[in-house]
């Protein structure tokens, strides 16, 4: 999945053209997310992510039938361009980092209906032809590093498609509704987050038993509960905002 904000210059990896390419281990690849106040999550990540981030759903265009698509995101900040988890020293202040960020500068992109290729962000300072760990062996085969990367981004891509279908199902059941979060900082400054979708408790409770059973059997009910649990982290984001404002410099 190519994220236009993250992958500034995505290029399909080619064993001949990029034979000399290396990955620099001394570069903080997560610095690319410095201005991200939210980032895409796959459904498989909800269990880990809900412990640290609010998980919200954002509109993601329409499908071929004109139905609204949604994308779940982990929220990193309360304002545009604000990442409260990436610290000044480059440290990510959370135990869990979204999978696509962990894979950076690599990702996977679809080039045909049934064909995908590994890509890298040519704009990343983490890729080099002179420094770092080689991506290819002398014989042109992928190095152990590249093999591990390929497996990881392929697994993520499978989960991306699964997540898309899950979002579609939740929208079909009308379970995601526009919501707004309002709060105040200790100095009285108002904080408002809107433009997102979240699970609607009333609609969920009113679902027919057959639909509830289907959600439970497919693991979607557990995902909804993780999403609902995660909303308590909005208050923690306020604490992070206050702590950053009170930090000298």
């Amino acid at each position: 999945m190519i994220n236009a904000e993250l992958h500034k210059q995505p290029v399909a990896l080619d064993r001949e053209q990029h034979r000399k390419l290396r990955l620099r281990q001394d570069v903080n690849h997560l610095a690319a997310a410095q201005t991200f106040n939210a980032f895409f999550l796959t459904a498989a990540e909800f269990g880990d992510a809900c412990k640290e981030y609010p998980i919200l759903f954002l509109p993601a265009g329409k499908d071929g039938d004109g139905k609204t698509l949604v994308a779940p995101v982990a929220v990193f900040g309360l304002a545009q361009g604000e990442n409260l988890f990436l610290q000044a020293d480059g440290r990510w202040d959370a135990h869990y980092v979204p999978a696509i960020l962990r894979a950076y500068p690599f990702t996977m992109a679809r080039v045909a209906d049934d064909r995908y290729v590994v890509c890298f962000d040519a704009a990343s300072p983490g890729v080099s032809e002179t420094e770092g760990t080689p991506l290819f062996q002398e014989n042109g085969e992928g190095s152990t590093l590249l093999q591990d990367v390929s497996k990881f981004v392929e697994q993520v891509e499978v989960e991306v498609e699964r997540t898309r279908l899950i979002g579609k199902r939740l929208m079909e059941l009308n379970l995601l509704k526009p919501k707004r979060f309002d709060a105040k900082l200790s100095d009285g400054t108002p904080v408002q987050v809107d433009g997102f979708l979240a699970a609607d408790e009333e609609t969920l409770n009113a679902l027919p038993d057959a639909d509830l059973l289907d959600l439970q059997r497919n693991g979607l009910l557990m995902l909804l509960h993780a999403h609902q649990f995660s909303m308590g982290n909005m208050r923690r984001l306020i604490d992070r905002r206050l702590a950053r404002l009170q930090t000298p410099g």
Side-chain angles (χ1 to χ4, degrees):
M1 174 181 175
I2 292 178
N3 182 301
E5 293 184 352
L6 176 64
H7 308 106
K8 302 291 188 183
Q9 193 178 336
V11 176
L13 190 63
D14 181 272
R15 71 171 60 195
E16 297 300 330
Q17 183 180 354
H18 304 120
R19 179 74 66 91
K20 297 180 180 180
L21 206 64
R22 295 169 175 263
L23 180 68
R24 293 181 56 181
Q25 308 288 359
D26 60 325
V27 170
N28 179 17
H29 302 283
L30 294 179
Q34 183 176 4
T35 60
F36 293 176
N37 71 327
F39 197 77
F40 177 82
L41 279 177
T42 65
E45 301 178 84
F46 277 33
D48 290 315
C50 74
K51 302 170 187 175
E52 315 214 46
Y53 313 102
I55 300 174
L56 309 177
F57 293 84
L58 298 180
K62 306 280 187 179
D63 65 10
D65 298 323
K67 296 181 180 179
T68 300
L69 298 174
V70 294
V73 296
V75 181
F76 301 152
L78 297 168
Q80 196 71 26
E82 177 183 69
N83 188 329
L84 297 171
F85 289 88
L86 185 63
Q87 305 301 298
D89 60 3
R91 180 175 54 91
W92 192 275
D93 190 25
H95 294 291
Y96 188 79
V97 178
I100 294 178
L101 280 181
R102 280 184 279 134
Y104 186 78
F106 301 101
T107 188
M108 183 164 276
R110 178 183 296 192
V111 293
D113 288 344
D114 59 349
R115 184 167 170 257
Y116 293 82
V117 296
V118 175
C119 298
F120 69 95
D121 184 6
S124 168
V127 291
S128 169
E129 290 191 352
T130 58
E131 301 176 76
T133 306
L135 296 183
F136 294 97
Q137 304 176 55
E138 290 295 330
N139 62 5
E141 295 297 320
S143 65
T144 300
L145 170 63
L146 182 55
Q147 292 174 27
D148 290 342
V149 165
S150 298
K151 290 178 183 177
F152 184 69
V153 294
E154 182 177 357
Q155 180 182 2
V156 171
E157 196 63 33
V158 170
E159 291 300 330
V160 167
E161 177 60 19
R162 174 173 170 263
T163 302
R164 186 186 70 82
L165 295 175
I166 287 172
K168 188 174 181 179
R169 178 58 175 159
L170 296 179
M171 290 299 289
E172 287 173 350
L173 293 173
N174 203 31
L175 288 173
L176 301 178
K177 302 286 183 67
K179 302 286 183 178
R180 190 175 78 181
F181 174 81
D182 292 289
K184 285 187 178 181
L185 301 181
S186 57
D187 63 358
T189 302
V191 174
Q192 183 183 96
V193 179
D194 55 16
F196 66 89
L197 305 173
D200 186 75
E201 188 75 26
E202 185 176 333
T203 304
L204 179 61
N205 291 336
L207 280 181
D209 290 345
D211 286 334
L212 277 174
L213 182 59
D214 182 63
L215 289 176
Q216 183 175 16
R217 285 177 173 172
N218 291 325
L220 304 193
L221 196 58
M222 181 175 66
L223 290 177
L224 284 174
H225 290 329
H227 152 64
Q228 291 172 311
F229 172 80
S230 79
M231 296 299 285
N233 292 322
M234 292 297 287
R235 293 287 175 180
R236 294 184 181 183
L237 281 182
I238 292 178
D239 292 340
R240 283 180 175 272
R241 162 80 72 80
L242 291 172
R244 180 165 292 190
L245 291 175
Q246 294 167 3
T247 300

